[in-house]
Amino acid sequence: MKFFLDTADLAEIEEAASWGALAGVTTNPSLYARIGGKLEDFHAHIKRICDIVDGPVSAESVAMTRDEIIRDGLELAEIAPNVVVKIPTMVEGLAATRALADQGVSVNMTLCFSVPQAILAARAGARYVSPFIGRFDDISEDGLEQVGNIVQALNNYDFSSSTVNGEQIEVIAASVRSANHVTQAALMGADIATVPFGVLKKMVQHPLTDRGLESFMKDWEKVQNA
Ligand code: E4P
């Protein structure tokens, strides 16, 4: 499993990148709004993220018609070679994904909540598909089960003839709210988990690691004073 950071916050991205295990970043309109992002600065902000991260950076189109999404997507793809255009799973989004994939632009199909949606995304040429976990949990349904189903269903077929450069579509477990979501998504075979910085920090921690570290330090002090 690879880890992406789900944020538009540059300080978080710089910090996570310095840990050596970051493979990419996903943003969305809400995450950009959360950092006080302004419309006129959006492309420059995505460029800053792309300069920090050595890996795919998802930038979302907010257009609603296929022609607008395609135009948006082509502009976003011009920002940097590692930009991935994020497009919601809807009819206009599928049509735009096909057109962008045919022009060599990588797409991350977002807001995916079902197996049929994921298969349609794959057939339309998406490079990534993002099933959301937490938002299912928010309505008392099992988001992890959907991730498992989507991984299993996509593994049943070869979609390489549909995607950019014949690359296999990868499943990004998204809307991750806890380290346990990451554990379960990894066991189910999700290729990537995109996680908020708070979850990434929790993923590093374990109480037994803390306890073990404390006892090693104490014993080392004894060695120094012996
Ligand atoms: C995915 O790429 C989305 O940006 C994100 O994971 C949404 O998460 P949320 O449901 O916590 O907003």
Side-chain angles (χ1 to χ4, degrees), residues 1 112-119 122 129-133 143-159 168-174 181-193:
M1 172 178 265
C112 174
F113 293 92
S114 72
V115 169
Q117 284 183 319
I119 294 176
V129 64
S130 293
F132 278 39
I133 300 169
L144 281 165
E145 188 186 356
Q146 284 303 327
V147 171
N149 290 345
I150 286 167
V151 168
Q152 201 183 326
L154 293 183
N155 280 343
N156 287 339
Y157 307 98
D158 179 5
F159 294 101
Q168 277 300 342
I169 185 166
E170 289 183 281
V171 174
I172 304 179
H181 277 166
V182 176
T183 303
Q184 301 308 322
L187 291 173
M188 288 164 172
D191 302 287
I192 297 154

Side-chain angles (χ1 to χ4, degrees), residues 4-7 25-31 34 58 60 86 108-111 113 130-136 138 172-177 194-196:
F4 288 1
L5 200 61
D6 197 26
T7 186
V25 166
T26 51
T27 66
N28 66 35
S30 306
L31 293 170
R34 196 175 297 165
S58 289
E60 190 156 341
K86 207 172 180 193
N108 172 4
M109 281 238 91
T110 190
L111 288 172
F113 293 92
S130 293
F132 278 39
I133 300 169
R135 293 193 192 190
F136 260 121
D138 291 346
I172 304 179
S175 188
V176 168
R177 306 275 167 81
T194 189
V195 300

Side-chain angles (χ1 to χ4, degrees), residues 2-5 22-27 49-50 53-59 81-85 106 108 127-128 170 172 192:
K2 290 176 274 187
F3 298 114
F4 288 1
L5 200 61
L22 189 67
V25 166
T26 51
T27 66
I49 298 175
C50 289
V53 182
D54 186 16
V57 172
S58 289
N82 52 336
V83 164
V84 171
V85 180
S106 291
N108 172 4
R127 176 70 182 79
Y128 304 94
E170 289 183 281
I172 304 179
I192 297 154

Side-chain angles (χ1 to χ4, degrees), residues 211-226:
R211 202 190 297 175
L213 194 57
E214 204 183 324
S215 70
F216 284 158
M217 297 317 281
K218 269 193 194 139
D219 289 339
W220 195 243
E221 229 174 86
K222 287 180 204 159
V223 172
Q224 281 174 317
N225 299 328

